[in-house]
Amino acid sequence: LGGEIPGHDNITFNRFRQLCETSELKSHFHFIGWVCHDDIPNYYVQADAAINIDLPCYEAEIGTRTRIVDWVQYQIPVITTALCEPARILAERDLIDAFEPQSARSLADAILRVRRDLEGRKLRARRARSFLNELFDEEKTFIPLLEWVEQPEFAPDRRVRDARGTADLAPLLSDSEVALRHIEFLSRHGRGRPKFEGTRKHGFFL
């Protein structure tokens, strides 16, 4: 499913497709193209496994591949590089099959492991779903935020530095310069008395 992303990357997918369609295994690939979001579950239920491949980079490590979470919700056995946090957590608990980045052999081994024990992997996929649902249960994940809202306070390291960036000075004032400018702006314009050019709509400026 899917394809190139116009205006962003018109090269990578087309190169991948050309490699597939000119290989000895071209009959193993079926390129459907972009499909309606509502139709995606129809393809998920037919999948024996889902594969995610990432290069080791900040985007892969700091971000989250939400497609992995989607696959787990549909109880599809997942084969992936374990770089983002959910993938690492699942790999540590042996709930997905992880492989080394940039290693074709490691990927092939992971695919073969799933192929040799597909029914076992499907049972494990169901456990993965239960685990993630419990781990990211909103009543648990929001506890720290709700506790902070009841008694909000600044982080203990909220400090400024001098112009050279070498020495800590006093803690920031409760109203920073940005906050003061914001208050000034609201006092001048919040009552419908605009003092700069712009397009006014329902009390806001666009």
Side-chain angles (χ1 to χ4, degrees):
L1 306 182
E4 67 179 58
I5 306 175
H8 172 65
D9 184 352
N10 301 323
I11 299 174
T12 305
F13 175 78
N14 288 329
R15 183 176 59 201
F16 170 72
R17 180 168 184 166
Q18 183 178 17
L19 288 170
C20 294
E21 292 181 339
T22 56
S23 74
E24 297 178 355
L25 303 175
K26 61 183 179 180
S27 63
H28 292 212
F29 298 92
H30 302 279
F31 291 93
I32 309 299
W34 293 106
V35 300
C36 175
H37 182 270
D38 293 339
D39 291 336
I40 293 178
N42 297 328
Y43 294 92
Y44 280 174
V45 297
Q46 300 177 61
D48 290 321
I51 303 174
N52 174 70
I53 303 174
D54 280 315
L55 288 171
C57 63
Y58 286 132
E59 179 193 0
E61 295 180 15
I62 299 175
T64 292
R65 292 293 183 250
T66 54
R67 67 188 71 121
I68 296 176
V69 178
D70 289 343
W71 295 336
V72 169
Q73 289 303 310
Y74 280 91
Q75 302 177 61
I76 306 171
V78 174
I79 303 169
T80 182
T81 44
L83 296 177
C84 69
E85 184 178 15
R88 291 197 301 269
I89 293 173
L90 291 167
E92 289 169 358
R93 288 160 177 78
D94 193 33
L95 294 172
I96 60 173
D97 280 272
F99 63 92
E100 295 297 320
Q102 299 178 289
S103 173
R105 171 47 55 192
S106 182
L107 169 58
D109 290 343
I111 293 173
L112 291 175
R113 286 198 302 271
V114 173
R115 178 65 184 87
R116 295 188 189 106
D117 183 28
L118 188 55
E119 290 306 313
R121 290 307 195 268
K122 289 182 178 180
L123 289 172
R124 189 176 66 170
R126 287 197 278 273
R127 296 201 307 272
R129 178 183 177 181
S130 298
F131 171 76
L132 274 193
N133 287 345
E134 181 178 353
L135 179 66
F136 294 123
D137 180 80
E138 62 183 28
E139 292 187 3
K140 294 181 179 180
T141 57
F142 277 96
I143 286 175
L145 175 60
L146 295 175
E147 290 177 346
W148 180 85
V149 168
E150 290 179 356
Q151 192 172 0
E153 58 182 0
F154 289 119
D157 61 348
R158 185 175 186 263
R159 302 179 69 84
V160 296
R161 292 179 177 274
D162 63 16
R164 296 168 298 173
T166 57
D168 284 329
L169 302 178
L172 290 174
L173 297 175
S174 58
D175 288 330
S176 66
E177 182 68 19
V178 173
L180 290 174
R181 288 180 179 273
H182 186 217
I183 293 171
E184 180 186 357
F185 174 84
L186 292 177
S187 66
R188 286 192 291 121
H189 304 291
R191 295 182 179 85
R193 298 194 303 274
K195 295 185 179 180
F196 64 88
E197 294 181 358
T199 302
R200 187 163 184 259
K201 182 177 180 182
H202 305 303
F204 296 93
F205 286 81
L206 307 177

